Amino acid sequence: MTRTSAPESGGDTSAGTPGEGSDPSHRRSILVLGFGTFAIGTDEFVLAGVLPEFSESLGVSTATAGQVVTVFALTCAVMSPVLATLTAGWPRHRVLKLSVLLYLLGVVGTGLAPSFPGVLIAQVVAASGAGLYIPAAGVTASALVGPERRGRAIAAVTTGLTAATALGAPIGTVVGSALGWRATMWFITLLTVLGLIGVLALVPRVSVPAPGGLRRRLAPLGDRRVVVVLATTLVAFTAAYVVYTYMAEVFAPATGGDGTRLAVLMFAFGLTGTAGNFYAGTLADRFGARLVVGGAVALLAVSLAVLPLATGSFAAALAITVVYAIAAWGITAPQQSRLIALNPASAPLLISLNAAFLYLAIAFSGVIGAVGIGTLGARRISLIGAVVAVLALALSELGHRLTSGRPGPAAEPGRGALR
């Protein structure tokens, strides 16, 4: 590994030459980064599972308690690009440590908060750390490998989010049901401490070039191609989360209100989504991100369109959930790969913006789903998601056409930047 000459790197290692992905130490580093994403995702997804205990403990309604999820998502959406811009010139190792410490402070504060407003404040702190960590981890992972392995590296990190859905959230929910919601926060605290130890011990110091000055760091936002790719992320994940946010009501006929059956559906969603996310990164490296994103969004639209036909039977609901999860999570890694290929020098900002748009999608999907339930009924809100997914597919193709007509200066040799 070579030394970077950038004076602000603090001795960071400049990784990212082709072939470095074969280094076992780099693979361990990427797994550690993915574990950190798992810890952060568990906090994000587990609160929905302990809302009844949470609301009763703090003396608020379930609807009011549910706003914690909204506050977390909106804070991530706002703070992710802001903090990434402010820290773009920092060594990634320092950014990772700061983000995990912020998140840890917020989780501990949530567990100790005596009131609902205190929980909201603590969750804002935790969400700020989460919004900073996820893009920093993705950029670090991509810098540890060559361009030909970038998609797989990013997928390994973002797989932590789907693993949190499949494992972290169910485990945390069980802990909360048995010992109270505060015990769930201590469970997440333990995961976070382990993640921090892993970052300190196993993630090398990586320097990622970043343009100097706020104006230059924000310059990518003037690129229509970047805006269209980010819009694709926003619209695609809005379509995906419309159903997930209201899964209990959408599949109520199939589960009969049985919490165990609902847990099986959620576990299947997280588990198959994890596999879909990981292999989407591999496919993006082989066939190009544009083709994988287009295929995943098209599959998402089809699965959401036929989903109302599968809500009356548990077996059918389980089958459509598997397809829906693979499609939904198959978008994440290729989208990040597209953004990095557009302008590698601005990768920290671009990936943070992508994360911000994903969190905005979570917030929007809750509102759209609520309106859909009031007009079409819970069983048919997936039809709204299907229409939104078709719009996302059109945006994805528009991004490709813009890139084909005006190749970016940082596009990889032999490849379209949004291929």
mmCIF file of all heavy atoms in Angstrom, residues 298-345:
data_model
loop_
_atom_site.group_PDB
_atom_site.id
_atom_site.type_symbol
_atom_site.label_atom_id
_atom_site.label_comp_id
_atom_site.label_asym_id
_atom_site.label_seq_id
_atom_site.Cartn_x
_atom_site.Cartn_y
_atom_site.Cartn_z
ATOM 1 N N ALA A 298 -37.911 -2.695 -12.556
ATOM 2 C CA ALA A 298 -38.980 -3.320 -13.343
ATOM 3 C C ALA A 298 -39.607 -4.472 -12.559
ATOM 4 O O ALA A 298 -40.844 -4.623 -12.523
ATOM 5 C CB ALA A 298 -38.427 -3.816 -14.681
ATOM 6 N N LEU A 299 -38.775 -5.297 -11.925
ATOM 7 C CA LEU A 299 -39.284 -6.403 -11.112
ATOM 8 C C LEU A 299 -40.083 -5.880 -9.923
ATOM 9 O O LEU A 299 -41.107 -6.459 -9.532
ATOM 10 C CB LEU A 299 -38.121 -7.268 -10.629
ATOM 11 C CG LEU A 299 -38.489 -8.499 -9.791
ATOM 12 C CD1 LEU A 299 -39.375 -9.454 -10.583
ATOM 13 C CD2 LEU A 299 -37.219 -9.217 -9.317
ATOM 14 N N LEU A 300 -39.627 -4.763 -9.360
ATOM 15 C CA LEU A 300 -40.357 -4.147 -8.244
ATOM 16 C C LEU A 300 -41.748 -3.722 -8.692
ATOM 17 O O LEU A 300 -42.749 -3.972 -7.993
ATOM 18 C CB LEU A 300 -39.576 -2.938 -7.721
ATOM 19 C CG LEU A 300 -40.237 -2.123 -6.602
ATOM 20 C CD1 LEU A 300 -40.398 -2.971 -5.348
ATOM 21 C CD2 LEU A 300 -39.407 -0.873 -6.304
ATOM 22 N N ALA A 301 -41.840 -3.079 -9.851
ATOM 23 C CA ALA A 301 -43.142 -2.629 -10.362
ATOM 24 C C ALA A 301 -44.088 -3.805 -10.579
ATOM 25 O O ALA A 301 -45.271 -3.750 -10.201
ATOM 26 C CB ALA A 301 -42.947 -1.851 -11.670
ATOM 27 N N VAL A 302 -43.577 -4.887 -11.156
ATOM 28 C CA VAL A 302 -44.415 -6.057 -11.427
ATOM 29 C C VAL A 302 -44.876 -6.705 -10.111
ATOM 30 O O VAL A 302 -46.059 -7.049 -9.950
ATOM 31 C CB VAL A 302 -43.653 -7.085 -12.288
ATOM 32 C CG1 VAL A 302 -44.434 -8.390 -12.398
ATOM 33 C CG2 VAL A 302 -43.377 -6.513 -13.672
ATOM 34 N N SER A 303 -43.949 -6.872 -9.173
ATOM 35 C CA SER A 303 -44.305 -7.512 -7.907
ATOM 36 C C SER A 303 -45.337 -6.700 -7.137
ATOM 37 O O SER A 303 -46.261 -7.261 -6.525
ATOM 38 C CB SER A 303 -43.054 -7.742 -7.056
ATOM 39 O OG SER A 303 -42.454 -6.514 -6.679
ATOM 40 N N LEU A 304 -45.214 -5.374 -7.164
ATOM 41 C CA LEU A 304 -46.178 -4.527 -6.467
ATOM 42 C C LEU A 304 -47.538 -4.549 -7.168
ATOM 43 O O LEU A 304 -48.589 -4.453 -6.517
ATOM 44 C CB LEU A 304 -45.656 -3.095 -6.378
ATOM 45 C CG LEU A 304 -44.446 -2.882 -5.455
ATOM 46 C CD1 LEU A 304 -43.945 -1.436 -5.545
ATOM 47 C CD2 LEU A 304 -44.799 -3.217 -4.014
ATOM 48 N N ALA A 305 -47.516 -4.688 -8.496
ATOM 49 C CA ALA A 305 -48.772 -4.717 -9.246
ATOM 50 C C ALA A 305 -49.580 -5.978 -8.948
ATOM 51 O O ALA A 305 -50.820 -5.935 -8.885
ATOM 52 C CB ALA A 305 -48.488 -4.604 -10.737
ATOM 53 N N VAL A 306 -48.894 -7.111 -8.769
ATOM 54 C CA VAL A 306 -49.609 -8.373 -8.518
ATOM 55 C C VAL A 306 -49.780 -8.655 -7.034
ATOM 56 O O VAL A 306 -50.490 -9.602 -6.663
ATOM 57 C CB VAL A 306 -48.880 -9.555 -9.189
ATOM 58 C CG1 VAL A 306 -48.710 -9.317 -10.670
ATOM 59 C CG2 VAL A 306 -47.517 -9.808 -8.542
ATOM 60 N N LEU A 307 -49.165 -7.858 -6.181
ATOM 61 C CA LEU A 307 -49.214 -8.118 -4.743
ATOM 62 C C LEU A 307 -50.631 -8.208 -4.180
ATOM 63 O O LEU A 307 -50.897 -9.067 -3.315
ATOM 64 C CB LEU A 307 -48.399 -7.050 -4.003
ATOM 65 C CG LEU A 307 -48.132 -7.291 -2.518
ATOM 66 C CD1 LEU A 307 -46.751 -6.770 -2.133
ATOM 67 C CD2 LEU A 307 -49.190 -6.620 -1.641
ATOM 68 N N PRO A 308 -51.588 -7.366 -4.607
ATOM 69 C CA PRO A 308 -52.944 -7.490 -4.048
ATOM 70 C C PRO A 308 -53.561 -8.875 -4.239
ATOM 71 O O PRO A 308 -54.419 -9.292 -3.448
ATOM 72 C CB PRO A 308 -53.740 -6.427 -4.818
ATOM 73 C CG PRO A 308 -52.723 -5.406 -5.197
ATOM 74 C CD PRO A 308 -51.481 -6.208 -5.514
ATOM 75 N N LEU A 309 -53.128 -9.599 -5.267
ATOM 76 C CA LEU A 309 -53.650 -10.937 -5.515
ATOM 77 C C LEU A 309 -53.084 -11.963 -4.545
ATOM 78 O O LEU A 309 -53.590 -13.095 -4.470
ATOM 79 C CB LEU A 309 -53.330 -11.369 -6.956
ATOM 80 C CG LEU A 309 -53.846 -10.447 -8.070
ATOM 81 C CD1 LEU A 309 -53.374 -10.954 -9.437
ATOM 82 C CD2 LEU A 309 -55.362 -10.351 -8.022
ATOM 83 N N ALA A 310 -52.029 -11.581 -3.798
ATOM 84 C CA ALA A 310 -51.345 -12.535 -2.923
ATOM 85 C C ALA A 310 -51.602 -12.285 -1.447
ATOM 86 O O ALA A 310 -50.956 -12.902 -0.601
ATOM 87 C CB ALA A 310 -49.836 -12.487 -3.200
ATOM 88 N N THR A 311 -52.511 -11.383 -1.127
ATOM 89 C CA THR A 311 -52.719 -11.042 0.282
ATOM 90 C C THR A 311 -53.727 -11.947 0.991
ATOM 91 O O THR A 311 -53.878 -11.870 2.206
ATOM 92 C CB THR A 311 -53.198 -9.586 0.417
ATOM 93 O OG1 THR A 311 -54.404 -9.409 -0.337
ATOM 94 C CG2 THR A 311 -52.138 -8.615 -0.100
ATOM 95 N N GLY A 312 -54.410 -12.815 0.248
ATOM 96 C CA GLY A 312 -55.406 -13.674 0.877
ATOM 97 C C GLY A 312 -54.866 -15.003 1.355
ATOM 98 O O GLY A 312 -55.527 -15.710 2.109
ATOM 99 N N SER A 313 -53.656 -15.362 0.925
ATOM 100 C CA SER A 313 -53.050 -16.641 1.286
ATOM 101 C C SER A 313 -51.661 -16.408 1.864
ATOM 102 O O SER A 313 -50.881 -15.625 1.293
ATOM 103 C CB SER A 313 -52.956 -17.544 0.047
ATOM 104 O OG SER A 313 -52.017 -18.587 0.227
ATOM 105 N N PHE A 314 -51.350 -17.107 2.956
ATOM 106 C CA PHE A 314 -50.036 -16.895 3.572
ATOM 107 C C PHE A 314 -48.912 -17.375 2.671
ATOM 108 O O PHE A 314 -47.872 -16.717 2.554
ATOM 109 C CB PHE A 314 -49.957 -17.614 4.921
ATOM 110 C CG PHE A 314 -48.654 -17.373 5.631
ATOM 111 C CD1 PHE A 314 -48.383 -16.150 6.224
ATOM 112 C CD2 PHE A 314 -47.679 -18.372 5.689
ATOM 113 C CE1 PHE A 314 -47.174 -15.912 6.868
ATOM 114 C CE2 PHE A 314 -46.474 -18.147 6.330
ATOM 115 C CZ PHE A 314 -46.219 -16.915 6.919
ATOM 116 N N ALA A 315 -49.111 -18.511 2.000
ATOM 117 C CA ALA A 315 -48.078 -19.030 1.099
ATOM 118 C C ALA A 315 -47.833 -18.055 -0.050
ATOM 119 O O ALA A 315 -46.677 -17.780 -0.417
ATOM 120 C CB ALA A 315 -48.491 -20.397 0.562
ATOM 121 N N ALA A 316 -48.898 -17.527 -0.618
ATOM 122 C CA ALA A 316 -48.748 -16.566 -1.709
ATOM 123 C C ALA A 316 -48.104 -15.275 -1.209
ATOM 124 O O ALA A 316 -47.269 -14.676 -1.892
ATOM 125 C CB ALA A 316 -50.105 -16.263 -2.331
ATOM 126 N N ALA A 317 -48.487 -14.852 -0.006
ATOM 127 C CA ALA A 317 -47.904 -13.638 0.574
ATOM 128 C C ALA A 317 -46.408 -13.814 0.788
ATOM 129 O O ALA A 317 -45.613 -12.894 0.544
ATOM 130 C CB ALA A 317 -48.592 -13.306 1.893
ATOM 131 N N LEU A 318 -46.007 -14.993 1.249
ATOM 132 C CA LEU A 318 -44.594 -15.272 1.479
ATOM 133 C C LEU A 318 -43.826 -15.247 0.165
ATOM 134 O O LEU A 318 -42.727 -14.669 0.075
ATOM 135 C CB LEU A 318 -44.430 -16.633 2.163
ATOM 136 C CG LEU A 318 -43.018 -17.047 2.546
ATOM 137 C CD1 LEU A 318 -42.418 -16.053 3.543
ATOM 138 C CD2 LEU A 318 -43.008 -18.455 3.140
ATOM 139 N N ALA A 319 -44.398 -15.826 -0.867
ATOM 140 C CA ALA A 319 -43.726 -15.872 -2.168
ATOM 141 C C ALA A 319 -43.557 -14.464 -2.752
ATOM 142 O O ALA A 319 -42.472 -14.115 -3.235
ATOM 143 C CB ALA A 319 -44.526 -16.755 -3.127
ATOM 144 N N ILE A 320 -44.607 -13.656 -2.708
ATOM 145 C CA ILE A 320 -44.508 -12.308 -3.288
ATOM 146 C C ILE A 320 -43.589 -11.427 -2.455
ATOM 147 O O ILE A 320 -42.904 -10.543 -2.990
ATOM 148 C CB ILE A 320 -45.906 -11.659 -3.419
ATOM 149 C CG1 ILE A 320 -45.847 -10.474 -4.392
ATOM 150 C CG2 ILE A 320 -46.431 -11.203 -2.077
ATOM 151 C CD1 ILE A 320 -45.539 -10.847 -5.811
ATOM 152 N N THR A 321 -43.519 -11.673 -1.150
ATOM 153 C CA THR A 321 -42.615 -10.908 -0.289
ATOM 154 C C THR A 321 -41.166 -11.169 -0.681
ATOM 155 O O THR A 321 -40.333 -10.246 -0.696
ATOM 156 C CB THR A 321 -42.837 -11.261 1.188
ATOM 157 O OG1 THR A 321 -44.161 -10.861 1.575
ATOM 158 C CG2 THR A 321 -41.831 -10.550 2.082
ATOM 159 N N VAL A 322 -40.834 -12.409 -1.000
ATOM 160 C CA VAL A 322 -39.477 -12.761 -1.413
ATOM 161 C C VAL A 322 -39.096 -12.018 -2.692
ATOM 162 O O VAL A 322 -38.018 -11.412 -2.788
ATOM 163 C CB VAL A 322 -39.353 -14.285 -1.609
ATOM 164 C CG1 VAL A 322 -38.052 -14.630 -2.322
ATOM 165 C CG2 VAL A 322 -39.431 -15.002 -0.264
ATOM 166 N N VAL A 323 -39.981 -12.035 -3.681
ATOM 167 C CA VAL A 323 -39.699 -11.360 -4.949
ATOM 168 C C VAL A 323 -39.593 -9.854 -4.737
ATOM 169 O O VAL A 323 -38.685 -9.184 -5.255
ATOM 170 C CB VAL A 323 -40.793 -11.677 -5.987
ATOM 171 C CG1 VAL A 323 -40.545 -10.911 -7.284
ATOM 172 C CG2 VAL A 323 -40.855 -13.177 -6.251
ATOM 173 N N TYR A 324 -40.526 -9.315 -3.986
ATOM 174 C CA TYR A 324 -40.556 -7.875 -3.693
ATOM 175 C C TYR A 324 -39.289 -7.420 -2.980
ATOM 176 O O TYR A 324 -38.709 -6.369 -3.295
ATOM 177 C CB TYR A 324 -41.815 -7.611 -2.869
ATOM 178 C CG TYR A 324 -41.849 -6.370 -2.017
ATOM 179 C CD1 TYR A 324 -41.563 -5.110 -2.536
ATOM 180 C CD2 TYR A 324 -42.224 -6.466 -0.680
ATOM 181 C CE1 TYR A 324 -41.634 -3.977 -1.738
ATOM 182 C CE2 TYR A 324 -42.303 -5.344 0.121
ATOM 183 C CZ TYR A 324 -42.008 -4.100 -0.410
ATOM 184 O OH TYR A 324 -42.079 -2.985 0.370
ATOM 185 N N ALA A 325 -38.801 -8.219 -2.040
ATOM 186 C CA ALA A 325 -37.592 -7.861 -1.282
ATOM 187 C C ALA A 325 -36.355 -7.876 -2.170
ATOM 188 O O ALA A 325 -35.512 -6.975 -2.092
ATOM 189 C CB ALA A 325 -37.409 -8.825 -0.113
ATOM 190 N N ILE A 326 -36.222 -8.902 -2.995
ATOM 191 C CA ILE A 326 -35.070 -8.983 -3.901
ATOM 192 C C ILE A 326 -35.035 -7.771 -4.817
ATOM 193 O O ILE A 326 -33.985 -7.156 -5.038
ATOM 194 C CB ILE A 326 -35.124 -10.281 -4.717
ATOM 195 C CG1 ILE A 326 -34.883 -11.496 -3.806
ATOM 196 C CG2 ILE A 326 -34.100 -10.259 -5.848
ATOM 197 C CD1 ILE A 326 -35.069 -12.830 -4.490
ATOM 198 N N ALA A 327 -36.203 -7.389 -5.347
ATOM 199 C CA ALA A 327 -36.268 -6.244 -6.245
ATOM 200 C C ALA A 327 -35.951 -4.942 -5.521
ATOM 201 O O ALA A 327 -35.174 -4.114 -6.011
ATOM 202 C CB ALA A 327 -37.660 -6.168 -6.874
ATOM 203 N N ALA A 328 -36.546 -4.757 -4.337
ATOM 204 C CA ALA A 328 -36.372 -3.504 -3.606
ATOM 205 C C ALA A 328 -34.920 -3.276 -3.199
ATOM 206 O O ALA A 328 -34.361 -2.187 -3.404
ATOM 207 C CB ALA A 328 -37.274 -3.497 -2.369
ATOM 208 N N TRP A 329 -34.283 -4.293 -2.641
ATOM 209 C CA TRP A 329 -32.918 -4.120 -2.150
ATOM 210 C C TRP A 329 -31.873 -4.296 -3.237
ATOM 211 O O TRP A 329 -30.693 -3.999 -3.026
ATOM 212 C CB TRP A 329 -32.656 -5.087 -0.995
ATOM 213 C CG TRP A 329 -33.314 -4.641 0.268
ATOM 214 C CD1 TRP A 329 -34.456 -5.146 0.825
ATOM 215 C CD2 TRP A 329 -32.888 -3.584 1.134
ATOM 216 N NE1 TRP A 329 -34.757 -4.462 1.974
ATOM 217 C CE2 TRP A 329 -33.817 -3.505 2.193
ATOM 218 C CE3 TRP A 329 -31.822 -2.690 1.107
ATOM 219 C CZ2 TRP A 329 -33.702 -2.570 3.215
ATOM 220 C CZ3 TRP A 329 -31.703 -1.759 2.131
ATOM 221 C CH2 TRP A 329 -32.644 -1.712 3.171
ATOM 222 N N GLY A 330 -32.298 -4.774 -4.409
ATOM 223 C CA GLY A 330 -31.348 -4.900 -5.519
ATOM 224 C C GLY A 330 -30.979 -3.569 -6.145
ATOM 225 O O GLY A 330 -30.114 -3.512 -7.024
ATOM 226 N N ILE A 331 -31.598 -2.494 -5.688
ATOM 227 C CA ILE A 331 -31.344 -1.164 -6.253
ATOM 228 C C ILE A 331 -30.185 -0.464 -5.547
ATOM 229 O O ILE A 331 -29.464 0.338 -6.146
ATOM 230 C CB ILE A 331 -32.626 -0.300 -6.133
ATOM 231 C CG1 ILE A 331 -33.800 -0.985 -6.833
ATOM 232 C CG2 ILE A 331 -32.404 1.093 -6.698
ATOM 233 C CD1 ILE A 331 -35.145 -0.369 -6.491
ATOM 234 N N THR A 332 -29.965 -0.758 -4.267
ATOM 235 C CA THR A 332 -29.096 0.049 -3.413
ATOM 236 C C THR A 332 -27.654 0.144 -3.908
ATOM 237 O O THR A 332 -27.153 1.235 -4.194
ATOM 238 C CB THR A 332 -29.097 -0.515 -1.983
ATOM 239 O OG1 THR A 332 -30.446 -0.665 -1.541
ATOM 240 C CG2 THR A 332 -28.360 0.415 -1.036
ATOM 241 N N ALA A 333 -26.959 -0.973 -3.971
ATOM 242 C CA ALA A 333 -25.534 -0.952 -4.326
ATOM 243 C C ALA A 333 -25.286 -0.418 -5.739
ATOM 244 O O ALA A 333 -24.376 0.407 -5.936
ATOM 245 C CB ALA A 333 -24.931 -2.346 -4.152
ATOM 246 N N PRO A 334 -26.041 -0.848 -6.759
ATOM 247 C CA PRO A 334 -25.787 -0.313 -8.103
ATOM 248 C C PRO A 334 -25.984 1.201 -8.193
ATOM 249 O O PRO A 334 -25.258 1.878 -8.929
ATOM 250 C CB PRO A 334 -26.808 -1.060 -8.974
ATOM 251 C CG PRO A 334 -27.083 -2.319 -8.241
ATOM 252 C CD PRO A 334 -27.020 -1.947 -6.791
ATOM 253 N N GLN A 335 -26.952 1.741 -7.458
ATOM 254 C CA GLN A 335 -27.160 3.184 -7.485
ATOM 255 C C GLN A 335 -25.942 3.931 -6.932
ATOM 256 O O GLN A 335 -25.505 4.947 -7.470
ATOM 257 C CB GLN A 335 -28.402 3.560 -6.682
ATOM 258 C CG GLN A 335 -29.705 3.394 -7.439
ATOM 259 C CD GLN A 335 -29.835 4.385 -8.581
ATOM 260 O OE1 GLN A 335 -29.486 4.082 -9.726
ATOM 261 N NE2 GLN A 335 -30.333 5.574 -8.298
ATOM 262 N N GLN A 336 -25.389 3.432 -5.832
ATOM 263 C CA GLN A 336 -24.197 4.062 -5.264
ATOM 264 C C GLN A 336 -23.012 3.936 -6.219
ATOM 265 O O GLN A 336 -22.211 4.876 -6.366
ATOM 266 C CB GLN A 336 -23.868 3.431 -3.913
ATOM 267 C CG GLN A 336 -24.926 3.702 -2.855
ATOM 268 C CD GLN A 336 -24.511 3.195 -1.498
ATOM 269 O OE1 GLN A 336 -23.598 3.696 -0.866
ATOM 270 N NE2 GLN A 336 -25.202 2.169 -1.017
ATOM 271 N N SER A 337 -22.912 2.796 -6.875
ATOM 272 C CA SER A 337 -21.831 2.597 -7.839
ATOM 273 C C SER A 337 -21.954 3.584 -9.001
ATOM 274 O O SER A 337 -20.956 4.134 -9.483
ATOM 275 C CB SER A 337 -21.862 1.152 -8.354
ATOM 276 O OG SER A 337 -20.775 0.903 -9.216
ATOM 277 N N ARG A 338 -23.179 3.849 -9.451
ATOM 278 C CA ARG A 338 -23.393 4.807 -10.530
ATOM 279 C C ARG A 338 -22.920 6.202 -10.118
ATOM 280 O O ARG A 338 -22.282 6.910 -10.888
ATOM 281 C CB ARG A 338 -24.886 4.874 -10.882
ATOM 282 C CG ARG A 338 -25.460 3.631 -11.497
ATOM 283 C CD ARG A 338 -26.961 3.750 -11.670
ATOM 284 N NE ARG A 338 -27.312 4.143 -13.029
ATOM 285 C CZ ARG A 338 -28.562 4.308 -13.449
ATOM 286 N NH1 ARG A 338 -29.561 4.156 -12.614
ATOM 287 N NH2 ARG A 338 -28.800 4.655 -14.687
ATOM 288 N N LEU A 339 -23.251 6.582 -8.909
ATOM 289 C CA LEU A 339 -22.878 7.917 -8.438
ATOM 290 C C LEU A 339 -21.363 8.069 -8.339
ATOM 291 O O LEU A 339 -20.795 9.085 -8.746
ATOM 292 C CB LEU A 339 -23.532 8.197 -7.088
ATOM 293 C CG LEU A 339 -25.028 8.511 -7.133
ATOM 294 C CD1 LEU A 339 -25.620 8.482 -5.736
ATOM 295 C CD2 LEU A 339 -25.278 9.869 -7.786
ATOM 296 N N ILE A 340 -20.693 7.080 -7.780
ATOM 297 C CA ILE A 340 -19.240 7.147 -7.636
ATOM 298 C C ILE A 340 -18.572 7.216 -9.004
ATOM 299 O O ILE A 340 -17.606 7.953 -9.207
ATOM 300 C CB ILE A 340 -18.714 5.943 -6.825
ATOM 301 C CG1 ILE A 340 -19.181 6.054 -5.364
ATOM 302 C CG2 ILE A 340 -17.192 5.874 -6.873
ATOM 303 C CD1 ILE A 340 -18.788 4.868 -4.509
ATOM 304 N N ALA A 341 -19.102 6.459 -9.970
ATOM 305 C CA ALA A 341 -18.525 6.469 -11.316
ATOM 306 C C ALA A 341 -18.685 7.835 -11.985
ATOM 307 O O ALA A 341 -17.850 8.236 -12.797
ATOM 308 C CB ALA A 341 -19.174 5.387 -12.179
ATOM 309 N N LEU A 342 -19.730 8.558 -11.650
ATOM 310 C CA LEU A 342 -19.935 9.888 -12.229
ATOM 311 C C LEU A 342 -18.832 10.859 -11.846
ATOM 312 O O LEU A 342 -18.364 11.641 -12.666
ATOM 313 C CB LEU A 342 -21.287 10.459 -11.788
ATOM 314 C CG LEU A 342 -22.525 9.979 -12.539
ATOM 315 C CD1 LEU A 342 -23.780 10.553 -11.893
ATOM 316 C CD2 LEU A 342 -22.453 10.376 -14.007
ATOM 317 N N ASN A 343 -18.429 10.816 -10.560
ATOM 318 C CA ASN A 343 -17.423 11.764 -10.078
ATOM 319 C C ASN A 343 -16.750 11.191 -8.831
ATOM 320 O O ASN A 343 -17.140 11.505 -7.708
ATOM 321 C CB ASN A 343 -18.076 13.112 -9.762
ATOM 322 C CG ASN A 343 -17.052 14.211 -9.571
ATOM 323 O OD1 ASN A 343 -15.889 13.946 -9.267
ATOM 324 N ND2 ASN A 343 -17.467 15.455 -9.740
ATOM 325 N N PRO A 344 -15.749 10.316 -9.015
ATOM 326 C CA PRO A 344 -15.097 9.681 -7.860
ATOM 327 C C PRO A 344 -14.544 10.670 -6.853
ATOM 328 O O PRO A 344 -14.533 10.395 -5.655
ATOM 329 C CB PRO A 344 -13.970 8.857 -8.510
ATOM 330 C CG PRO A 344 -14.442 8.606 -9.896
ATOM 331 C CD PRO A 344 -15.199 9.832 -10.301
ATOM 332 N N ALA A 345 -14.084 11.834 -7.300
ATOM 333 C CA ALA A 345 -13.499 12.808 -6.384
ATOM 334 C C ALA A 345 -14.534 13.360 -5.404
ATOM 335 O O ALA A 345 -14.178 13.836 -4.321
ATOM 336 C CB ALA A 345 -12.865 13.962 -7.164
#
